[in-house]
């Protein structure tokens, strides 16, 4: 066995805490500047769609990176990859904060998506390396909840940063956070990879083929993407509706994102609480409840169009999305423990490519201006989820 482990047993707890601190990085990088998007459009003299694109290209590069990030961390180790990512984060966030060129911002967002892919895949694999059995399931479930902390706190902080210091301050804060993580990792963490997998194209293709052939894993990846699309769909249009159409401040937009982030986390906790319940039935029930809530939201949209009704319906719908995501994401990551990096990378890669394409596509087609448009977008995603779950049922019955 070609072992590379350098993590000291006495640092195991601190290294675990640090891994949990790195996991939300992708959420922090996507969500902290959500309340600033309308101001960025104004200050950079760009249409809404070009600012929204900064979010989508991040997700696309984040998703694509995870396809090969998993195989790289399985071959070369987790620690050096995550350390290099954190160091480059500092540079890229500083460049983003100090430029007025939208093309440079696009380039930095692509780089940040790539770095997020490497950092997050490394830390997902960390939990599979260090823990086993029920403890591994416990930490993987907790990990998806901790990952949701980024989208919760980021826009809340970002709203106040925008109000007090402008949109650039978001990226200065991210640079500082990355630097702190880099220094603590340098002192307390280490390599956890026990066995190196060969970095051969033939080996990678064989592993990916076996994963794609596992129908439970394949449909799980799709459901993860559709579930997170609900959150990203609102993120793309929500701040513009709240600030430009309803006339509220960026701080209010930050509070709305904070509330909806708690909805996502509540769904994750609910998923963990019901972890022992039959898998497919509980996912199907969640999808039916989700569709019922969306239909209620559609009907109510013709009678009322207020911030309170928008947030109330979105909160309930996001709880169901968080529940479905938590269950399927935890399942997919632990599905292939001998290739944890690749499984986590493939799951995240497929999920976030689906998320970026579907959420941006729905926003581009529907162009939500009020609650009704948001409900219509949710309905499309809910029906897509129902369709995928019907395939799961067919495969179970006939395969």
């Amino acid at each position: 066995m070609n072992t590379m482990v350098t993590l000291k047993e006495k640092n195991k707890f601190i290294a675990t805490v640090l891994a949990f601190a790195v996991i939300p990085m992708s959420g922090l990088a996507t969500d902290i500047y959500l309340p600033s998007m309308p101001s960025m459009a104004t200050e950079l003299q760009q249409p809404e769609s070009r600012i929204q694109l900064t979010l989508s290209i991040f997700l696309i590069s984040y998703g694509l990176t995870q396809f090969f990030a998993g195989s790289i961390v399985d071959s070369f180790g987790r620690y050096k990859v995550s350390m290099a990512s954190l160091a480059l984060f500092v540079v890229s966030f500083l460049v983003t904060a100090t430029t007025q060129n939208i093309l440079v911002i696009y380039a930095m967002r692509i780089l940040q998506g790539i770095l997020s892919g490497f950092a997050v895949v490394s830390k997902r694999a960390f939990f599979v390396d260090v823990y086993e059995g029920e403890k591994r399931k416990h930490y993987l479930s907790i990990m998806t909840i901790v990952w949701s902390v980024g989208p919760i706190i980021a826009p809340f902080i970002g709203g106040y940063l925008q109000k007090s210091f402008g949109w650039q301050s978001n990226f200065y804060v991210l640079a500082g956070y990355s630097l702190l993580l880099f220094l603590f990792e340098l002192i307390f963490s280490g390599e956890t990879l026990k066995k190196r997998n060969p970095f051969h194209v033939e080996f990678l293709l064989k592993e990916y083929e076996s994963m794609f052939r596992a129908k439970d894993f394949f449909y799980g990846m799709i459901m993860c993407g559709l579930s997170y699309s609900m959150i990203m769909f609102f993120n793309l249009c929500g701040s513009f509706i709240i600030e430009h159409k309803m006339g509220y401040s960026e701080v209010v937009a930050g509070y709305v994102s904070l509330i909806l982030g708690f909805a996502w986390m509540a769904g994750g906790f609910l998923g963990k609480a019901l972890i022992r319940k039959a898998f497919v039935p509980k996912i199907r029930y969640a999808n039916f409840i989700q569709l019922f809530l969306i239909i209620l939201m559609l009907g109510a949209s013709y009678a009322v169009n207020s911030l309170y009704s928008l947030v109330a319906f979105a909160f309930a719908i996001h709880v169901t999305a968080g529940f479905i995501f938590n269950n399927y994401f935890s399942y997919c990551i632990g599905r292939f423990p001998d290739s944890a990096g690749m499984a986590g990378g493939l799951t995240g890669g497929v999920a976030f490519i689906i998320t970026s394409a579907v959420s941006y596509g729905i926003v581009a087609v529907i162009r939500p201006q009020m609650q009704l448009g948001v409900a219509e977008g949710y309905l499309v995603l809910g029906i897509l989820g129902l369709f995928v779950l019907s395939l799961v049922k067919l495969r179970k019955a006939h395969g």
Side-chain angles (χ1 to χ4, degrees):
M1 181 180 288
N2 187 7
T3 185
M4 300 173 65
V5 177
T6 61
L7 176 65
K8 296 176 182 176
E9 186 64 29
K10 67 175 183 177
N11 290 339
K12 185 175 170 180
F13 174 76
I14 299 177
T16 300
V17 172
L18 287 172
F20 279 133
V22 173
I23 288 292
M25 181 60 83
S26 60
L28 291 170
T30 54
D31 286 37
I32 195 169
Y33 75 107
L34 292 179
S36 296
M37 287 172 73
S39 295
M40 287 177 70
T42 303
E43 190 174 324
L44 297 173
Q45 298 180 331
Q46 299 291 335
E48 292 179 10
S49 59
R50 288 195 179 178
I51 301 301
Q52 289 167 337
L53 192 58
T54 63
L55 198 55
S56 296
I57 60 175
F58 174 95
L59 288 173
I60 290 170
S61 62
Y62 177 49
L64 288 173
T65 300
Q66 291 180 73
F67 280 113
F68 56 86
S71 58
I72 288 175
V73 302
D74 280 347
S75 297
F76 302 107
R78 292 61 159 111
Y79 183 61
K80 288 180 180 178
V81 171
S82 63
M83 289 294 285
S85 298
L86 289 170
L88 289 170
F89 265 136
V90 178
V91 177
S92 68
F93 286 134
L94 289 175
V95 171
T96 307
T98 53
T99 184
Q100 293 283 310
N101 189 320
I102 191 68
L103 294 180
V104 173
I105 292 175
Y106 285 161
M108 290 301 102
R109 294 299 287 164
I110 291 169
L111 176 59
Q112 288 154 19
I114 292 169
L115 298 175
S116 293
F118 279 117
V120 173
V121 167
S122 296
K123 293 307 179 185
R124 282 187 204 138
F126 170 92
F127 295 106
V128 180
D129 292 341
V130 176
Y131 300 101
E132 295 179 358
E134 287 300 313
K135 215 166 187 180
R136 177 188 288 168
K137 286 183 184 177
H138 168 76
Y139 276 109
L140 287 175
S141 184
I142 290 289
M143 183 199 70
T144 59
I145 295 169
V146 170
W147 175 73
S148 70
V149 168
I152 290 175
I153 63 171
F156 173 67
I157 295 168
Y160 281 101
L161 288 172
Q162 169 61 39
K163 188 175 178 64
S164 302
F165 307 107
W167 68 266
Q168 295 91 342
S169 59
N170 297 307
F171 296 100
Y172 283 124
V173 167
L174 289 172
Y177 183 68
S178 302
L179 181 59
L180 281 175
L181 286 176
F182 176 84
L183 294 174
F184 283 122
E185 285 269 324
L186 193 63
I187 298 167
F188 296 109
S189 198
E191 185 55 65
T192 59
L193 181 63
K194 297 184 181 74
K195 181 182 178 182
R196 290 182 61 168
N197 284 335
F199 189 70
H200 299 311
V201 175
E202 296 83 2
F203 173 81
L204 301 183
L205 291 176
K206 184 180 177 182
E207 285 291 294
Y208 280 139
E209 183 185 9
S210 68
M211 290 177 186
F212 272 111
R213 282 181 179 275
K215 295 181 180 69
D216 56 337
F217 184 79
F218 179 75
Y219 290 125
M221 294 188 294
I222 296 174
M223 286 304 296
C224 285
L226 292 176
S227 298
Y228 199 56
S229 289
M230 287 199 166
I231 280 65
M232 199 51 58
F233 165 71
F234 189 93
N235 286 352
L236 285 170
C237 64
S239 59
F240 289 102
I241 293 172
I242 293 165
E243 294 178 42
H244 284 180
K245 302 300 178 184
M246 294 183 168
Y248 291 96
S249 72
E250 54 271 88
V251 173
V252 172
Y255 272 109
V256 169
S257 294
L258 175 71
I259 292 166
L260 297 185
F262 276 117
W264 178 257
M265 179 176 268
F269 276 118
L270 191 59
K272 189 177 187 312
L274 300 176
I275 198 167
R276 297 187 186 279
K277 297 291 183 182
F279 191 82
V280 174
K282 68 183 175 184
I283 298 295
R284 190 167 288 118
Y285 287 138
N287 180 246
F288 286 144
I289 293 169
Q290 186 179 81
L291 283 166
F292 175 72
L293 291 167
I294 293 167
I295 290 167
L296 279 181
M297 185 181 184
L298 271 170
S301 299
Y302 291 99
V304 62
N305 182 42
S306 71
L307 179 66
Y308 298 104
S309 63
L310 174 66
V311 174
F313 280 115
F315 183 92
I317 292 164
H318 285 204
V319 170
T320 62
F323 177 83
I324 294 169
F325 184 93
N326 176 276
N327 275 279
Y328 259 124
F329 203 73
S330 298
Y331 178 84
C332 289
I333 292 174
R335 179 68 170 76
F336 299 95
D338 290 336
S339 297
M342 291 180 68
L346 190 59
T347 303
V350 170
F352 283 98
I353 288 170
I354 290 171
T355 294
S356 57
V358 172
S359 60
Y360 189 78
I362 293 174
V363 168
V365 172
I366 295 177
R367 295 185 180 277
Q369 303 293 311
M370 57 182 71
Q371 182 175 301
L372 179 62
V374 176
E376 289 169 349
Y378 284 151
L379 183 63
V380 172
L381 290 165
I383 291 172
L384 286 172
L386 181 65
F387 175 71
V388 173
L389 287 174
S390 72
L391 293 178
V392 172
K393 185 178 180 181
L394 282 171
R395 295 297 183 181
K396 284 179 72 66
H398 300 293

